[in-house]
Amino acid sequence: MDADIHFYFDPVCPFCWLTSKWVRMVRDQRDLTVDWRFISLRLLNAGVDYDAQFPPEYEAGHTAGLRLLRVAARTRTEHGPEAVDALYAALGHHIFDTEPTATGGDSGGERRGTAAFVEPVLEAAGLPTQLARALDEDSWDTQIRAETDEALSLAGKDVGTPILHYRPPDGTAFFGPVISRLPDEESALELWDHVVGLAGFPGFAELKRSLRERPQLVGFGVDPGAVGVEEDWHGGSRRQHK
């Protein structure tokens, strides 16, 4: 039987991480099942001139995300989808919910794609450290590209991460929601019902605000409950368009 939610994630996206934490809150309260699938920001931007269109750290960060997804793909093949759940939870904690001085925080993009970073994360997730060998195994890219294409076929090409597919294969799919802070448990359910209700309307196309506050993540130097600096994001990223 298919999962209630297909959640397409890239492990280096902070907004994706926050949305995944919210979905976990909803999952636990509504007894839903989640299948964690792959969407690569590096593959999405394969034809983009990073130097011209992105801040300096983006290419290294997106490349690290692809390398981490290789580890996730091998993890799923050898240990099942439940192991991807544990791995993504551990990756998100190490990247975003840990002080920057411990993991490199917002500036540690390139390091995240190394065995030195991944092996302790695998240990924390209860997985063999030998899975880190997949970082350099580009044979997994075929699977990651296929799921990235699958996600785009559901939500369109002008999207980012995450993409959610609720009640697949015939249910509604959408990009986001992009959130910069976590709701409490009661509000989490209210937000879920609003999002699913709106996205499920047959004629619904888009609801968007490009202004975003810096996500409330310790790895970004923003404590939960604090209001982050507001930034203007274009097309789902801080593109520079030089």
Side-chain angles (χ1 to χ4, degrees):
M1 186 175 180
D2 210 340
D4 297 304
I5 303 167
H6 289 175
F7 191 110
Y8 296 83
F9 75 96
D10 188 308
V12 300
C13 176
F15 294 105
C16 187
W17 172 241
L18 276 167
T19 302
S20 76
K21 293 177 75 172
W22 163 65
V23 165
R24 290 174 189 272
M25 295 170 68
V26 174
R27 175 195 64 183
D28 294 343
Q29 294 185 78
R30 290 280 173 86
D31 195 26
L32 300 173
T33 54
V34 180
D35 184 9
W36 303 96
R37 300 196 175 198
F38 312 138
I39 179 170
S40 167
L41 289 169
R42 189 64 184 86
L43 296 179
L44 273 176
N45 292 290
V48 172
D49 183 344
Y50 272 85
D51 289 337
Q53 297 201 37
F54 286 108
E57 72 274 11
Y58 267 54
E59 184 169 14
H62 288 180
T63 299
L66 175 58
R67 291 168 63 80
L68 293 174
L69 285 174
R70 292 171 182 169
V71 176
R74 180 172 174 178
T75 296
R76 184 171 64 190
T77 297
E78 297 184 5
H79 298 277
E82 297 82 4
V84 178
D85 185 341
L87 176 60
Y88 184 29
L91 283 169
H93 173 74
H94 279 71
I95 294 172
F96 299 115
D97 293 340
T98 306
E99 291 288 345
T101 52
T103 65
D106 195 23
S107 61
E110 188 173 356
R111 181 177 176 272
R112 295 169 191 159
T114 66
F117 175 81
V118 174
E119 288 177 355
V121 176
L122 288 165
E123 286 186 354
L127 293 165
T129 58
Q130 67 182 20
L131 290 169
R133 297 174 187 170
L135 289 166
D136 298 311
E137 296 171 351
D138 60 7
S139 58
W140 297 105
D141 293 2
T142 300
Q143 183 180 144
I144 297 166
R145 183 174 289 105
E147 294 195 10
T148 297
D149 291 343
E150 179 181 272
L152 296 181
S153 74
L154 293 167
K157 295 181 179 180
D158 186 22
V159 295
T161 54
I163 290 175
L164 276 67
H165 191 185
Y166 182 48
R167 292 180 176 168
D170 300 320
T172 186
F174 49 89
F175 160 50
V178 176
I179 57 176
S180 57
R181 61 180 73 177
L182 278 180
D184 58 34
E185 290 193 354
E186 182 178 352
S187 298
L189 295 180
E190 292 177 358
L191 177 59
W192 175 258
D193 290 337
H194 290 318
V195 168
V196 170
L198 180 61
F201 175 66
F204 174 73
E206 183 176 24
L207 179 68
K208 185 174 181 177
R209 191 176 78 99
S210 65
L211 290 174
R212 305 179 186 178
E213 68 180 13
R214 197 162 179 78
Q216 291 184 359
L217 295 168
V218 173
F220 275 73
V222 182
D223 293 328
V227 178
V229 176
E230 197 168 69
E231 302 169 320
D232 195 356
W233 287 55
H234 306 277
S237 64
R238 288 185 287 122
R239 292 194 176 186
Q240 301 181 115
H241 296 291
K242 290 181 179 177

